Structures are given as C-alpha cells and as structure tokens.
Amino acid sequence: MRLCYACAAQGQLQQAVGHYQQVVAIAQSQTYRDIEAEALANMGSAYRAIGQHKQSIDCHQQSLEISHTLQDKRGEGYSLKDIGNVLFLTGRYDEAIAQYQQSDAIAQVIEDPQLKIECLQGLGSDYTVQREFTQAMVCFESVQSLA
C-alpha cells in the first residue's frame, strides 16, 4: 500500500489506481477484508481526483459494503462522506446531503470529531451552492466550535 500512497502523493494517480487494483486483488485472494475496504476507499479518492466519478462512487460503495459487513462504523462513516463528496462534485446535491447526514450520524455515535467536521464542511458547502445560507452558516459555525 505504501507504493500506492507514494504514487498518489506525487500526483501519479493513474499509477496509484493500478497499484490499488493489485492490492484489492491480493486482499480478496487472502480474505483481508479490512485491507480491501481501505484500498477501495483510497482508489475511490484517486478516481475522484482524476474526474472519474462513476468509478469513484463504485469504489466507495464497495468499501462501504465491506465496512458494514465488518461492523466497522468508522469505515462506514468515511465511505458515506466520500460518496457525498463525489455526489457534490457531480451536482447531485440532495443525494450528497443524504450521504453527509448519514455519515454525520455515525460520527456522532462513534465520537469521531474529524469525521464530524468533514461532514459539516460538506453539508455547509452543499447548502451554500443551493443558496440555503442559514443552514450553511449553522454547519460552518458548528465546524468552528469543534475545531
């Protein structure tokens, strides 16, 4: 996985995707579901960065399903948030809000302040684009109180 991270950090995202695909295949063959979920999540982020939104959502959705099977609430929360990010980029704002809200609920339960902040930032941005400024301000003020 370190090679994947190195490629991504250097902006070699297509190479990173290729390496993540290899990690996923190995993890599947060895039934390392947690590693598979992490690699899929990272591959989804790389796809998002290169504008391949459908592939990004597919990877994050697969990571979400594995995290759910493993009862990994943190993984579920971050997958939902990442799906929300991609939906936001593609202009599917109501769907993005639903993902962020689910992720935020998980962040509350598992007491993960970083996830909560990222969800609130996503919600705030989404509400701003939709010109729902009061709701956006509530989100951004909540981020400030958590930071």
Side-chain angles (χ1 to χ4, degrees):
M1 269 271 244
R2 292 182 186 178
L3 180 59
C4 303
Y5 297 140
C7 288
Q10 293 177 352
Q12 300 169 346
L13 298 171
Q14 290 288 0
Q15 282 184 287
V17 166
H19 293 306
Y20 282 126
Q21 288 170 337
Q22 292 174 356
V23 171
V24 168
I26 292 167
Q28 287 173 336
S29 72
Q30 301 295 316
T31 62
Y32 294 130
R33 301 294 304 218
D34 55 335
I35 294 171
E36 181 184 0
E38 182 181 352
L40 284 163
N42 291 329
M43 186 165 47
S45 295
Y47 275 130
R48 183 190 70 231
I50 57 178
Q52 295 183 7
H53 299 127
K54 182 188 180 318
Q55 293 90 333
S56 178
I57 290 173
D58 290 345
C59 288
H60 288 304
Q61 186 64 43
Q62 289 175 58
S63 180
L64 173 62
E65 290 168 10
I66 294 168
S67 294
H68 181 75
T69 299
L70 296 174
Q71 298 179 345
D72 174 9
K73 289 294 185 191
R74 185 175 185 277
E76 285 183 65
Y78 277 93
S79 291
L80 289 163
K81 187 258 314 166
D82 289 336
I83 292 168
N85 289 344
V86 180
L87 292 169
F88 175 80
L89 288 174
T90 60
R92 295 161 59 186
Y93 303 121
D94 290 336
E95 293 175 71
I97 286 173
Q99 299 298 309
Y100 290 137
Q101 288 173 334
Q102 289 179 61
S103 181
D104 184 51
I106 290 172
Q108 190 74 27
V109 169
I110 64 172
E111 299 179 355
D112 185 328
Q114 183 61 42
L115 178 57
K116 184 148 188 73
I117 286 169
E118 291 178 26
C119 292
L120 289 168
Q121 288 172 327
L123 282 166
S125 296
D126 208 318
Y127 288 135
T128 299
V129 168
Q130 294 191 66
R131 305 185 64 78
E132 296 178 26
F133 299 119
T134 301
Q135 288 178 292
M137 287 302 297
V138 169
C139 291
F140 292 133
E141 287 171 356
S142 295
V143 167
Q144 284 200 317
S145 71
L146 292 169

